[in-house]
Amino acid sequence: LRRLAEKLSKTREAFTYQLDRLFLGRKEIDAELFDDLEELLITADLGVTTTRELLDHARRKVHRKELSDPESLKLALKDKIKSFIIDYQRDAELVMPESGPFVIMVVGVNGVGKTTTIGKIAHKFVKAGRSVMLVAGDTFRAAAVSQLQIWGERNGVHVVARADRADPSSVVYDAMDIAKAKNYDVVLVDTAGRLHTQTNLMEELKKIKRVMGKRLEGAPHEVMLVIDATTGQNGISQAKLFHEAVGITGITLTKLDGTAKGGIVANICREMKTPIRFIGVGEKMEDLRDFDPDEFIEALFE
Ligand code: GDP
């Protein structure tokens, strides 16, 4: 737990400590305190709507005389932030199918850490004794294919890849057949994330998803969106786009180690109502944590 708190140190400095500082020596709840709070919450990337909801909740409590001093206001705010995170994260564990390959389609904008996350998830499953296969579904960028191959080598797992800008859905088509034939436990499918030609990208992803389901019943079992925590509110608008196209069932939030904007976690939970499966807290193979809301909140606040 202490290690997670260390990984979140930037957010703790910019948010938790500032929050404590803001309340230091205050005797009264006044308009100025609410203004300062609003600024702090938005800076920590809780987002305008989440911030407004939080402060309205607090104002109502003050109005009803349920909160009378700054200290109790601070506690009420922390509680509400906790509830945003916890309410949408119950039973959020990834559940593998009873038989046959567990297919995870991984989507997200280029640079968010998709390939790295796939490598880290593969590592987790390999360590747990599962057979894993990776699929290079981003045929658009040669670098993406070779990067995935490197992660495959590191993990000692098979990578299905084709060069020359092959049609990604045909790569996935073959991959599903291989997965069935070899009965892999876990199949992680990388996909393209080019932003400029978004419509094409979304059509491509829809097609990949369709092909998966046709070749392998129930696939994909998880459509995992990778979001870069440092991109803040942008990450949320991306999430909505991807969700509209392919229906996100889980989220991995990367780069929480390098950002002061960890407040985005509360915002993502509240806005997306989709479980966060993992958080990325570094570049190495082991730097992927199962997202445990209680542990996260403790590391952030205690
Ligand atoms: P992709 O384009 O989405 O596949 O992104 P990559 O997997 O290539 O990652 C982009 C960069 O982000 C790389 O330099 C990764 O090492 C880095 N990265 C990925 N996840 C994390 C993380 O959790 N923390 C940090 N600090 N860096 C990360």
Side-chain angles (χ1 to χ4, degrees), residues 109-116 120 141 147 254-255 257 280-283:
V109 169
N110 285 342
V112 293
K114 224 174 344 157
T115 315
T116 310
K120 290 169 172 176
R141 293 183 306 161
Q147 211 197 337
T254 61
K255 309 189 196 179
D257 52 307
V281 290
E283 295 186 276

Side-chain angles (χ1 to χ4, degrees), residues 30-51:
D30 50 21
E32 190 203 336
L33 178 57
F34 272 103
D35 286 347
D36 291 349
L37 275 172
E38 183 170 5
E39 200 184 321
L40 176 62
L41 295 169
I42 287 183
T43 310
D45 245 320
L46 268 95
V48 176
T49 336
T50 305
T51 298

Side-chain angles (χ1 to χ4, degrees), residues 22-90:
L22 207 147
F23 278 91
L24 211 69
R26 296 248 188 187
K27 300 266 186 298
E28 261 178 79
I29 300 176
D30 50 21
E32 190 203 336
L33 178 57
F34 272 103
D35 286 347
D36 291 349
L37 275 172
E38 183 170 5
E39 200 184 321
L40 176 62
L41 295 169
I42 287 183
T43 310
D45 245 320
L46 268 95
V48 176
T49 336
T50 305
T51 298
R52 193 178 305 143
E53 195 177 319
L54 257 176
L55 294 182
D56 284 349
H57 166 80
R59 280 197 191 93
R60 276 196 303 275
K61 277 184 164 278
V62 173
H63 189 72
R64 292 199 299 257
K65 309 241 183 312
E66 288 166 20
L67 299 173
S68 50
D69 59 291
E71 191 56 31
S72 58
L73 170 61
K74 187 173 88 179
L75 291 177
L77 283 174
K78 285 186 178 177
D79 273 352
K80 188 71 180 163
I81 294 173
K82 284 181 194 180
S83 79
F84 281 150
I85 297 178
I86 287 174
D87 287 354
Y88 300 114
Q89 300 297 323
R90 301 220 182 277

